[in-house]
């Protein structure tokens, strides 16, 4: 059974109330959703919150799911949730009403010891960061990214490769790998 | 650090940072659908071409085929001055062979544009001073000079009245029409030579472009193409892509369809092999490759069911091998790119099929038709294509590695069987 068919199966099972299927669905797709959201919001906490909200919405709206492209459906919910959040944050908040700024938690670093997500956040241009995260962690094809970011496909390809080379150079120079 | 390692690093970091499944999520109600849940089998995605892409790819592939042929053979327009039927193409290629063998390009008035050799003897003949100014000669005059020069160098004995010459016309038109063109031109040249007391039987032949390219081999097509195109382009402004592409479109489209069909078959076969492998694994605890080797060596005692699965696997393997050869040749045939306007379409096309590709030569891009005015654009494009090329090649290599990776250990460590033992094994089966 292909991944796509498996996801479709899982969503259909969730639609009939199967919690086990939802757990599996979460383990298979949460990483991709998080990668996409992180690419769009560039904030660890917000990305985590939006990822969780996305799955809440999936549960609430599962009855609307029609058998088909399951992953596209999930990502569409992720996109909508992200855009809602971005729009919300654009609203003007009086200064005195702003919550005290929390100390930003840094990313959990994997066993390699290279803080790759921080490097991506701080050292890549914003567009390049989005392209890299969407492509690598969420599995979007370049042409899909071109559509999402409203850029020519060639530019996406070019920027992606430029960004990867930048990361390679940084890792080589600063971490000796 | 390699690209693949960077990908892994990013994915692993994302995984570490992805929120766990929390109560907040699980406490949200699932809106259970009242509709009966029907788990549909996945509809096999038909491999449908992006139509505009096909159109463009086809058109440009056609153009390239013409250009490639032209660059090797020399392209001649159907020469009006020999009363040959006028082709719908602006260019036609002639291979002239009296061993030496050469390739001639003429314009639509039958004037020679370019000449190149097909073999070493052709090289020797064409190096003569007499060919320094061949441009603008009529094809008949040119052929006579070629015959005279060949005779002077001892390749042809003009006193022998049994000499033969073959003129092969190559282009994409229907064979009947080509043959008529070839016959008419041969007769005309034969008569022209006779007026100079050169008696030679001139035979007309024709060949389609795809056959011609297959015969020629794509390795050769690449040689000297750049220089040749440069010359051809600088001297022949009429050499327009659009005007010569139409008649080839259906031909190339069919080739592309066949190519995709082969990829689809390959996917099916790989899936079948995966299934067989899983079944064998279930039945005897190791995979198809090891079982196959053991069975052939007579190691272990396999049930009839396993033997039958091994034989099915062998048959699929043979089919895969054949198919790979076909796919490889199709890829080669379609690898001769492309006019720059369609690069995006090509990229989309490749993204659609890249999971079935293992051959990176598909992306060996040759850019043509770049005018001076487009130079800046051309440089940017080269940059983009280079990046793209590197990325897709890596992607294809990774996918392939992933596909064969699970079999690799068994395959590399499989017991070896000598040819004699294998013959004995086959004999024992019979």
């Amino acid at each position: 059974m292909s991944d796509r068919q498996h996801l479709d199966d899982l969503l259909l099972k969730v639609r009939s109330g199967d919690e086990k299927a939802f757990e599996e669905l979460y383990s298979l797709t949460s990483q991709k959703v998080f990668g996409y959201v992180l690419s769009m919001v560039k904030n660890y906490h917000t990305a985590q919150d939006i990822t969780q909200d996305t799955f809440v919405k999936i549960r609430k709206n599962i009855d609307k799911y029609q058998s088909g492209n399951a992953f596209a459906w999930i990502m569409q919910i992720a996109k909508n949730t992200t855009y809602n959040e971005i729009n919300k944050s654009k609203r003007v908040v009086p200064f005195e009403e702003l919550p005290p700024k929390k100390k930003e938690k840094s990313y959990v670093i994997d066993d390699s010891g290279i803080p790759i997500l921080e490097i991506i956040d701080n050292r890549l241009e914003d567009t390049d960061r989005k392209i890299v995260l969407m492509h690598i962690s969420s599995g979007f094809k370049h042409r899909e990214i071109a559509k999402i970011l409203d850029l020519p496909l060639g530019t996406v390809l070019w920027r992606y490769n430029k960004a990867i080379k930048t990361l390679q150079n940084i890792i080589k120079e600063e971490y000796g790998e | 650090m390699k690209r693949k390692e960077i990908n892994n690093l990013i994915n692993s970091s994302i995984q570490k940072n992805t929120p766990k499944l929390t109560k907040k999520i699980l406490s949200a109600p699932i809106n259970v659908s009242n509709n009966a849940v029907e788990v549909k089998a996945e509809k096999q995605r038909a491999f449908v071409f992006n139509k505009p892409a096909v159109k463009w790819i086809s058109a440009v592939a056609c153009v390239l085929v013409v250009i490639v042929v032209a660059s090797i053979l020399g392209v001649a327009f159907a020469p009006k001055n020999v009363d040959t039927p006028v082709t719908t193409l602006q260019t036609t290629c002639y291979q002239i062979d009296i061993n030496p063998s050469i390739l001639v390009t003429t314009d639509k008035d039958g004037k020679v544009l370019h000449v190149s050799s097909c073999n070493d003897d052709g090289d020797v003949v064409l190096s003569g001073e007499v060919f320094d100014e061949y441009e603008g000669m009529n094809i008949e005059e040119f052929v006579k000079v070629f015959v005279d020069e060949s005779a002077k160098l001892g390749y042809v004995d003009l006193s022998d009245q049994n000499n033969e010459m073959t003129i092969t016309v190559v282009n994409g038109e229907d064979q009947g029409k080509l043959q008529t063109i070839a016959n008419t031109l041969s007769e005309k040249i034969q008569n022209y030579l006779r007026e100079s007391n050169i008696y030679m039987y001139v035979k007309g032949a024709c060949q389609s472009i795809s056959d011609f390219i297959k015969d020629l081999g794509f390795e050769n097509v690449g040689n000297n193409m750049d220089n040749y195109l440069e010359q051809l382009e600088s001297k022949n402004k009429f050499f327009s892509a659009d005007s010569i592409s139409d008649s080839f479109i259906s031909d190339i489209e069919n080739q592309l369809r066949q190519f995709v069909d082969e990829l689809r078959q390959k996917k099916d076969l790989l899936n079948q092999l995966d299934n067989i492998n899983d079944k064998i694994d279930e039945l005897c605890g190791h995979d198809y490759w090891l079982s196959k080797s053991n069975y052939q060596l007579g190691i272990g005692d396999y049930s009839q069911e396993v033997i039958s699965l091994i034989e099915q696997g062998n048959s699929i393997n043979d089919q895969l091998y054949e198919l790979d050869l076909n796919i490889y040749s199709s890829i080669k045939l379609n690898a001769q790119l492309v006019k720059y306007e369609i690069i995006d379409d090509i990229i989309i096309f490749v993204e659609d099929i890249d999971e079935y590709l293992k051959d990176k030569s598909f992306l060996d891009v040759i850019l043509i038709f770049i005018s001076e005015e487009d130079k800046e654009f051309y440089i940017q494009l080269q940059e983009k294509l280079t990046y793209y090329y590197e990325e897709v090649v890596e992607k294809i290599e990774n996918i392939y590695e992933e596909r064969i990776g699970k079999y690799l250990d068994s395959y590399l460590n499989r017991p070896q069987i000598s040819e004699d033992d294998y013959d004995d094994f086959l004999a024992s089966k019979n």
Side-chain angles (χ1 to χ4, degrees):
Chain A
M1 187 187 289
S2 72
D3 290 347
R4 207 172 67 168
Q5 192 183 341
H6 185 53
L7 274 186
D8 189 40
D9 264 5
L10 285 175
L11 276 181
L12 292 171
K13 283 180 186 166
V14 174
R15 201 171 73 170
S16 61
D18 185 338
E19 286 288 357
K20 281 271 173 220
F22 181 80
E23 281 170 27
E24 192 182 347
L25 181 79
Y26 189 86
S27 76
L28 286 176
T29 57
S30 57
Q31 194 181 321
K32 289 180 194 298
V33 169
F34 178 68
Y36 167 76
V37 177
L38 188 64
S39 76
M40 297 305 285
V41 300
K42 198 183 174 180
N43 179 302
Y44 176 70
H45 291 292
T46 315
Q48 285 208 326
D49 289 345
I50 296 175
T51 303
Q52 295 192 38
D53 289 348
T54 300
F55 282 92
V56 168
K57 284 186 182 171
I58 287 171
R59 287 170 72 94
K60 287 182 177 169
N61 293 289
I62 191 70
D63 56 326
K64 297 182 185 117
Y65 175 70
Q66 300 293 321
S67 183
N69 193 341
F71 185 65
W73 187 76
I74 292 168
M75 291 313 285
Q76 191 57 48
I77 293 180
K79 274 185 215 172
N80 293 343
T81 314
T82 308
Y83 285 130
N84 285 343
E85 194 59 36
I86 290 172
N87 289 336
K88 250 194 253 174
S89 69
K90 280 181 186 163
R91 287 176 206 148
V92 179
V93 179
F95 179 73
E96 55 274 26
E97 288 178 23
L98 280 173
K101 202 172 178 183
K102 274 193 274 182
K103 192 185 174 199
E104 194 59 50
K105 186 187 168 187
S106 54
Y107 294 108
V108 179
I109 299 172
D110 85 337
D111 302 338
S112 69
I114 300 172
I116 188 72
L117 295 180
E118 277 180 24
I119 295 174
I120 289 173
D121 270 1
N122 301 328
R123 309 284 284 275
L124 293 186
E125 285 176 39
D126 196 48
T127 309
D128 295 356
R129 189 181 60 80
K130 286 178 181 168
I131 293 171
V132 166
L133 286 175
M134 280 189 210
H135 185 64
I136 296 177
S137 63
S138 300
F140 281 108
K141 289 185 172 178
H142 287 118
R143 67 168 182 278
E144 293 168 327
I145 297 171
K147 211 172 165 186
I148 294 168
L149 299 180
D150 196 21
L151 290 171
L153 178 59
T155 304
V156 170
L157 293 166
W158 181 73
R159 294 193 81 122
Y160 173 75
N161 286 286
K162 184 166 69 80
I164 295 295
K165 286 209 168 147
T166 306
L167 292 176
Q168 280 174 321
N169 289 337
I170 292 172
I171 291 170
K172 191 178 174 190
E173 282 166 18
E174 298 177 19
Y175 298 90
E177 290 194 34
Chain B
M1 183 176 272
K2 288 179 181 171
R3 281 164 170 257
K4 193 179 171 186
E5 290 169 318
I6 292 216
N7 287 4
N8 291 341
L9 181 59
I10 293 173
N11 276 327
S12 140
S13 295
I14 288 282
Q15 190 187 6
K16 292 246 176 209
N17 286 282
T18 303
K20 302 285 173 271
L21 186 54
T22 58
K23 281 183 184 168
K24 177 189 168 189
I25 300 172
L26 290 171
S27 62
I30 292 181
N31 275 344
V32 177
S33 168
N34 292 326
N35 300 335
V37 176
E38 182 194 348
V39 180
K40 289 181 187 171
E42 183 189 28
K43 194 174 169 187
Q44 183 70 48
R45 185 182 168 203
F47 227 77
V48 180
F49 268 98
N50 170 334
K51 282 189 178 172
V54 169
K55 190 179 165 195
W56 275 109
I57 291 168
S58 306
V60 178
C62 299
V63 170
L64 272 166
V65 168
V66 173
I67 287 167
V68 166
V69 172
S71 63
I72 300 302
L73 283 186
V75 179
F77 286 168
K80 285 179 179 173
N81 60 340
V82 290
D83 298 321
T84 54
V86 178
T87 71
T88 56
L89 295 176
Q90 294 200 46
T91 57
T92 309
C93 316
Y94 297 107
Q95 176 173 6
I96 295 173
D97 182 16
I98 49 175
N99 195 25
S101 175
I102 56 165
L103 309 155
V104 183
T105 304
T106 68
D107 68 10
K108 60 185 171 184
D109 296 322
K111 307 285 187 194
V112 175
L113 292 173
H114 192 270
V115 179
S116 57
S117 60
C118 302
N119 56 17
D120 291 345
D121 292 343
D123 255 345
V124 174
V125 176
L126 290 182
S127 64
E129 281 180 14
V130 67
F131 292 107
D132 284 353
E133 293 180 1
Y134 60 77
E135 282 176 50
M137 288 169 85
N138 280 333
I139 178 97
E140 306 98 303
E141 291 169 26
F142 178 84
V143 171
K144 180 177 178 303
V145 173
F146 172 62
V147 171
D148 283 342
E149 194 67 7
S150 302
K152 207 189 290 178
L153 292 166
Y155 288 110
V156 180
D157 178 4
L158 292 183
S159 63
D160 181 352
Q161 299 201 351
N162 294 319
N163 284 320
E164 274 191 20
M165 173 190 292
T166 307
I167 296 182
T168 309
V169 185
V170 184
N171 72 21
E173 295 202 0
D174 72 75
Q175 296 290 292
K177 199 169 178 180
L178 277 190
Q179 189 62 55
T180 314
I181 294 170
N183 291 346
T184 313
L185 182 63
S186 317
E187 197 182 331
K188 191 83 183 171
I189 287 179
Q190 184 167 299
N191 292 339
Y192 185 83
L193 293 175
R194 193 164 293 165
E195 283 169 18
S196 308
N197 295 322
I198 298 173
Y199 293 92
M200 187 171 275
Y201 172 62
V202 183
K203 185 177 148 194
C206 60
Q207 200 169 21
S208 72
I209 282 184
S210 53
D211 286 347
F212 178 77
I213 288 182
K214 274 178 202 157
D215 287 355
L216 200 64
F218 277 90
E219 296 306 320
N220 296 331
V221 171
N223 295 343
N224 303 319
M225 187 164 97
D226 288 349
N227 287 340
Y228 183 77
L229 279 177
E230 223 166 81
Q231 286 182 38
L232 197 67
E233 280 243 85
S234 63
K235 290 172 188 166
N236 304 283
K237 298 295 178 197
F238 57 83
F239 202 82
S240 147
D242 294 337
S243 61
I244 58 175
S245 63
D246 287 351
S247 57
F248 295 122
I249 284 180
S250 59
D251 191 29
I252 301 288
E253 263 187 13
N254 287 339
Q255 286 167 6
L256 285 172
R257 280 184 215 293
Q258 189 187 340
F259 168 53
V260 170
D261 202 40
E262 284 164 350
L263 291 172
R264 201 188 304 152
Q265 283 177 45
K266 181 171 180 182
K267 183 187 173 192
D268 289 345
L269 288 171
L270 284 170
N271 285 339
Q272 285 178 42
L273 197 59
D274 276 351
N275 288 337
I276 285 177
N277 192 56
D278 289 346
K279 280 183 198 162
I280 292 179
D281 199 21
E282 265 173 36
L283 289 166
C284 53
H286 46 253
D287 63 26
Y288 158 73
W289 298 98
L290 186 58
S291 314
K292 178 187 172 185
S293 301
N294 284 348
Y295 172 56
Q296 285 171 355
L297 286 167
I299 301 171
D301 191 13
Y302 290 106
S303 67
Q304 201 51 48
E305 190 180 358
V306 175
I307 291 170
S308 159
L309 286 168
I310 290 171
E311 279 168 358
Q312 285 173 44
N314 291 347
S315 155
I316 290 171
N317 245 337
D318 290 345
Q319 290 175 61
L320 273 171
Y321 177 74
E322 288 294 319
L323 205 53
D324 266 343
L325 292 181
N326 288 340
I327 290 171
Y328 184 77
S329 61
S330 300
I331 290 170
K332 284 281 188 188
L333 191 63
N334 291 306
Q336 311 295 319
L337 289 187
V338 140
K339 203 175 169 186
Y340 54 82
E341 285 91 340
I342 64 151
I343 293 297
D344 280 359
D345 285 330
I346 293 287
I347 289 171
I348 289 168
F349 168 69
V350 172
E351 281 200 339
D352 272 346
I353 61 170
D354 66 5
E355 69 174 296
Y356 308 119
L357 294 177
K358 67 167 182 175
D359 191 293
K360 60 187 178 185
S361 64
F362 183 71
L363 293 164
D364 281 338
V365 174
I366 301 163
L367 291 170
I368 55 167
F369 288 125
I370 305 294
S371 65
E372 276 296 312
E373 304 89 74
D374 293 328
K375 210 169 179 178
E376 196 181 327
F377 179 77
Y378 166 75
I379 291 166
Q380 284 179 13
L381 182 69
Q382 278 287 45
E383 215 176 20
K384 284 179 187 173
L385 284 169
T386 308
Y387 280 130
Y388 184 69
Y389 174 83
E390 286 172 2
E391 191 207 345
V392 174
V393 166
E394 188 180 320
K395 202 167 162 191
I396 290 168
E397 280 173 354
N398 289 344
I399 289 167
Y400 200 65
E401 194 180 303
E402 207 173 276
R403 276 210 181 276
I404 64 167
K406 59 183 169 184
Y407 302 126
L408 206 56
D409 279 346
S410 301
Y411 180 74
L412 293 176
N413 299 320
R414 70 195 187 283
Q416 298 297 313
I417 185 168
S418 70
E419 280 183 23
D420 288 346
D421 286 345
Y422 188 63
D423 288 343
D424 289 347
F425 164 76
L426 291 178
S428 73
K429 272 183 74 179
N430 294 332

